[in-house]
C-alpha cells in the first residue's frame, strides 16, 4: 500500500522527468530539442557562447554524442566551432526545454540563489516571466528576452542571404 505524501516527503524533483519526456516528444515528432541553461560555476559549457549567464544548447541526438539525461546532470559531448567539448549541466540549471521548430516546450524556475539576486520565489511571486523567457510568442518563435521582459535583439542572420544554412546530399 502506498504511503500518503506529507509536506516533508514530496519525493524527488519532477524536472529531470519532464526534461526526458519533452526530449522524447521532440525526437518522436522530428523536432530539435533545445535546452536553455542558467550558467554559473557549476555548469561546464564553452563560456565563449554564454550571454547574460545563459546558453541555449541543441540536445538532439544528431548534435550530441553520449547524451545522458540523468536525474542530477545532463551530460554529453558536442562540437563548438569544430572543437569537441564535454558538456555537464546540473538539471536544476535547465530553465527551459523546447522544440526549435515551433517553440513548444516548458520553462522552469531559475535555480534558487542565482546570480543577480533572482530567486525562484521572488521570480514567481511577481507573476512576471522568469528572466524574460517566452517559449511560445504569438508568431510561434522561441525568444529569450532581457531582465525586464523586453524581447532580446534578433539573432544575427546565418550566411549572406540571412537564411538558415542547409545541407545538400551529393551522391
Amino acid at each position: 500500500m502506498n504511503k500518503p505524501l506529507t509536506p516533508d516527503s514530496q519525493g524527488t524533483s519532477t524536472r529531470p522527468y519532464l526534461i526526458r519526456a519533452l526530449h522524447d516528444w521532440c525526437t518522436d515528432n522530428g523536432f530539435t530539442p533545445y535546452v536553455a541553461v542558467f550558467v554559473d560555476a557549476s555548469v561546464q559549457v564553452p563560456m565563449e557562447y554564454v550571454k547574460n549567464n545563459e546558453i541555449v544548447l541543441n540536445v538532439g541526438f544528431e548534435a550530441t554524442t553520449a547524451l545522458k539525461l540523468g536525474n542530477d546532470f545532463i551530460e554529453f559531448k558536442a562540437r563548438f566551432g569544430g572543437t569537441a567539448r564535454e558538456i555537464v549541466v546540473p538539471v536544476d540549471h535547465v530553465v527551459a526545454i523546447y522544440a526549435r521548430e515551433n517553440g513548444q516546450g516548458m520553462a522552469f524556475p531559475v535555480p534558487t540563489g542565482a546570480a543577480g539576486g533572482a530567486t525562484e520565489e521572488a521570480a514567481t511571486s511577481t507573476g512576471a516571466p522568469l528572466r524574460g523567457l517566452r517559449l511560445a510568442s504569438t508568431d510561434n518563435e522561441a525568444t529569450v528576452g532581457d531582465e525586464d521582459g523586453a524581447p532580446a535583439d534578433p539573432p544575427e542572420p546565418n550566411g549572406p542571404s540571412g537564411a538558415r544554412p542547409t545541407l545538400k546530399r551529393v551522391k
Side-chain angles (χ1 to χ4, degrees):
M1 182 180 288
N2 288 343
K3 180 180 169 185
L5 291 178
T6 64
D8 294 335
S9 64
Q10 292 297 316
T12 60
S13 171
T14 58
R15 189 178 305 206
Y17 300 94
L18 294 169
I19 290 170
R20 284 192 292 270
L22 286 166
H23 184 276
D24 287 348
W25 175 82
C26 285
T27 302
D28 290 351
N29 286 282
F31 299 138
T32 308
Y34 275 19
V35 292
V37 177
F38 175 79
V39 178
D40 65 10
S42 67
V43 179
Q44 182 179 323
V45 294
M47 296 307 286
E48 61 269 28
Y49 295 96
V50 174
K51 184 176 180 183
N52 298 326
N53 290 56
E54 290 183 345
I55 189 169
V56 176
L57 301 167
N58 178 345
V59 290
F61 291 118
E62 299 81 20
T64 63
T65 304
L67 176 66
K68 295 178 187 172
L69 299 172
N71 284 350
D72 297 316
F73 295 96
I74 295 175
E75 302 174 77
F76 60 93
K77 294 176 187 156
R79 291 193 170 275
F80 291 84
T83 305
R85 301 283 186 89
E86 188 95 22
I87 307 300
V88 180
V89 174
V91 168
D92 69 343
H93 281 59
V94 174
V95 294
I97 180 167
Y98 60 94
R100 180 193 71 193
E101 292 78 3
N102 61 15
Q104 291 186 356
M106 180 176 286
F108 303 102
V110 295
T112 303
T119 63
E120 180 177 309
E121 181 182 12
T124 55
S125 67
T126 63
L130 294 171
R131 300 182 48 87
L133 184 66
R134 295 182 304 166
L135 290 180
S137 63
T138 56
D139 56 359
N140 284 332
E141 289 185 23
T143 60
V144 177
D146 58 18
E147 294 292 326
D148 63 2
D153 296 330
E156 295 296 319
N158 297 329
S161 67
R164 292 186 68 87
T166 59
L167 292 176
K168 181 178 181 182
R169 176 180 265 170
V170 179
K171 291 186 178 184

